[in-house]
Amino acid sequence: MGYLFTSESVSEGHPDKVADQISDAILDEFLRNDPQAKVACEVLVTTGLAVVGGEICSDAYVDIQSVTRGVINRIGYTRSEYMFDGNACGILSAIHEQSPDISQGVVRENADEQGAGDQGMMFGYATDESKELMPASLILSHVILNELTVIRRQGEAMPYLRPDAKSQVTIEYDDNGKPLRVHTIVVSMQHDEFLTADKFGGDEKLAEKQMGAIIKEDVRTVLLPRVKARLAAAGDRLGELIGNDYILHVNPTGKFVIGGPHGDTGLTGRKIVVDTYGGRGAHGGGAFSGKDSSKVDRSAAYAARHIAKNMVAAGVAEQMLVQVAYAIGVARPVSVFVKTYGTSKVGLSDGQLAGVVERLFDLRPAKIVERFGLRNPIFEVTAAYGHFGRRPYTKLAEVTENGQKVQREVEFFGWEKLDMVDKIRQTLQLTV
């Protein structure tokens, strides 16, 4: 029997994502000036206020106020009527130095034996149901909001848009777990109050109803066709799942004028399922944003995704979940777990595949950092629209070397590269 599965995403203007992006922007600025910086930065945003706290150990100086205001303005909170304005909001800093008890467990004379920054378990997941080897419901949710942001910044087709938004996509699967069609789409978007009651004889409900009708029609005739075109242009066939028979809910409460940090307090690390796999696979519970790569919550989760993605791309299984677990101060993981959900295409058990993973991938934190260049300032872009399923790329970034500002090419989303496929196939004697 078939089933329905749903994933959600939130825009860069969602209050929790505002907090995530500020945390990662501050992390990037420390890494730009001090690649060895130890950072655990959390942010709270609310009406007219951003509070930055956490533990940071670094000799570098970062202008916390300037970085925070820059992120808020970039996102689009630049108007006083939003009640959260990058140029005018208050910013409080409550940052202190990293605990020496933690530091002594992480730092080692032999850099390769750097200990894990905390205990915990991290998961990576991949599925062959999409080009990105990600759950289709999550990719579609992300793309809807990515395109909505493009439309908002262009300011033409839907000029009433404000930064805060959420999406949700439900997909119908067949008996074999293959996606058949998009069943339901939910889009909630913050907007200007572009129709007022005085235009309808003082009838506020009628004004609200008319606004809602205009916005819903724009979603159906402007946003979703652009989403399908965007996917098609990228060679992604997921847009074909959006037929003419889907259920559409737009701003189901009626209107969404009050939003962003004024409408709901935002905190770093509250959208961990949006950041990862949309509810598929599993999650160890640790957030990513604001944490340097000595924190395995982040670095090992990236490594686990890299493993799962390369194993699925190599044809080992149709989907795979990888878990790695660490003890604080210990370099090598205490366990590695693999689950293929009965989709394995090789004559090995999941336990045997876990052994293959341990032989092929060095999961010591220092080696993960080295492999993906995680001491570079690459994290702010990860803090909205997901850490996984993104296109890896290289770009010039300003960093400090020997006290001088220089431009250096750095790699973004390196954990998404399919650079171990051939080695996996050779090890398991798989043919294409």
Side-chain angles (χ1 to χ4, degrees):
M1 181 178 179
Y3 59 92
L4 303 176
F5 188 83
T6 301
S7 296
E8 74 157 348
S9 182
V10 298
S11 74
E12 63 190 42
H14 185 280
D16 292 329
K17 277 290 145 204
V18 173
D20 283 342
Q21 288 165 93
I22 295 171
S23 292
D24 272 339
I26 290 169
L27 167 63
D28 278 353
E29 284 307 305
F30 274 102
L31 293 176
R32 199 181 309 280
N33 294 284
D34 177 10
Q36 303 299 325
K38 298 295 184 290
V39 179
C41 176
E42 282 78 40
V43 173
L44 176 150
V45 290
T46 187
T47 303
L49 179 66
V51 180
V52 182
E55 299 177 342
I56 296 178
C57 184
S58 174
D59 293 330
Y61 169 75
V62 168
D63 186 339
I64 300 297
Q65 285 227 6
S66 177
V67 173
T68 301
R69 294 190 192 283
V71 172
I72 296 168
N73 285 329
R74 173 186 61 74
I75 291 169
Y77 286 108
T78 56
R79 291 158 53 181
S80 60
E81 58 261 44
Y82 295 162
M83 304 296 287
F84 184 75
D85 177 353
N87 294 319
C89 69
I91 298 173
L92 299 179
S93 177
I95 291 172
H96 58 91
E97 194 170 356
Q98 184 184 53
S99 160
D101 292 348
I102 295 175
S103 180
Q104 71 178 0
V106 174
V107 178
R108 290 283 189 271
E109 287 186 17
N110 180 353
D112 287 349
E113 295 302 319
Q114 168 192 316
D118 201 353
Q119 70 175 48
M121 65 282 191
M122 299 82 209
F123 289 93
Y125 176 77
T127 171
D128 66 1
E129 69 183 48
S130 72
K131 173 187 174 185
E132 299 82 4
L133 301 182
M134 289 282 287
S137 53
L138 182 62
I139 291 296
L140 286 172
S141 296
H142 284 326
V143 174
I144 286 171
L145 292 184
N146 260 302
E147 192 59 34
L148 191 68
T149 297
V150 172
I151 293 170
R152 172 172 63 86
R153 294 190 183 283
Q154 290 172 342
E156 297 173 359
M158 300 169 72
Y160 47 79
L161 289 174
R162 293 183 174 186
D164 196 357
K166 299 176 74 172
S167 66
Q168 187 171 282
V169 174
T170 301
I171 289 181
E172 180 181 343
Y173 289 79
D174 66 16
D175 294 344
N176 299 312
K178 303 300 180 184
L180 291 174
R181 68 183 183 97
V182 169
H183 179 276
T184 301
I185 298 173
V186 182
V187 185
S188 296
M189 63 189 78
Q190 186 188 14
H191 58 87
D192 294 336
E193 195 154 12
F194 58 90
L195 294 180
T196 55
D198 60 335
K199 295 181 180 180
F200 299 90
D203 191 333
E204 292 186 6
K205 287 297 181 184
L206 182 56
E208 182 179 305
K209 183 177 180 181
Q210 290 298 320
M211 269 197 304
I214 291 169
I215 295 170
K216 186 171 184 177
E217 185 63 15
D218 284 349
V219 169
R220 190 183 296 277
T221 62
V222 177
L223 174 60
L224 293 180
R226 286 181 55 152
V227 165
K228 295 176 73 170
R230 178 180 181 139
L231 289 164
D236 197 323
R237 302 189 64 178
L238 284 184
E240 297 173 11
L241 296 175
I242 306 174
N244 297 315
D245 57 346
Y246 60 88
I247 299 167
L248 178 63
H249 296 290
V250 177
N251 289 355
T253 62
K255 68 177 182 179
F256 186 5
V257 173
I258 300 171
H262 178 49
D264 190 12
T265 298
L267 294 169
T268 300
R270 280 208 303 200
K271 284 291 175 283
I272 57 177
V273 172
V274 170
D275 285 343
T276 53
Y277 307 106
R280 292 279 287 275
H283 197 294
F288 300 158
S289 290
K291 297 177 181 178
D292 76 89
S293 55
S294 71
K295 283 74 172 174
V296 284
D297 277 342
R298 181 169 219 157
S299 53
Y302 290 173
R305 161 64 178 172
H306 180 248
I307 294 166
K309 183 177 183 181
N310 276 266
M311 294 285 272
V312 170
V316 176
E318 293 176 12
Q319 58 176 317
M320 180 176 288
L321 181 72
V322 176
Q323 184 206 56
V324 290
Y326 292 85
I328 187 169
V330 180
R332 297 186 183 277
V334 299
S335 69
V336 176
F337 167 85
V338 168
K339 183 176 182 179
T340 60
Y341 303 91
T343 68
S344 176
K345 299 178 181 179
V346 297
L348 297 175
S349 68
D350 288 354
Q352 290 172 317
L353 286 174
V356 172
V357 166
E358 289 191 86
R359 291 195 299 274
L360 289 180
F361 297 88
D362 192 335
L363 290 169
R364 290 175 293 173
K367 290 301 183 180
I368 294 172
V369 170
E370 179 184 310
R371 184 158 67 248
F372 303 131
L374 300 183
R375 289 199 181 97
N376 290 314
I378 59 173
F379 296 108
E380 185 181 352
V381 293
T382 69
Y385 312 116
H387 293 244
F388 306 127
R390 308 284 290 272
R391 178 181 59 85
Y393 62 92
T394 57
K395 179 182 174 182
L396 285 176
E398 185 181 84
V399 298
T400 300
E401 291 182 356
N402 301 318
Q404 300 294 318
K405 298 285 188 182
V406 298
Q407 294 284 324
R408 189 177 72 211
E409 193 169 79
V410 300
E411 185 176 57
F412 293 76
F413 299 101
W415 50 92
E416 289 294 313
K417 290 196 304 183
L418 294 174
D419 55 354
M420 287 291 288
V421 170
D422 290 343
K423 190 168 186 178
I424 291 167
R425 286 174 175 163
Q426 181 181 6
T427 299
L428 295 178
Q429 298 181 336
L430 295 174
T431 57
V432 180

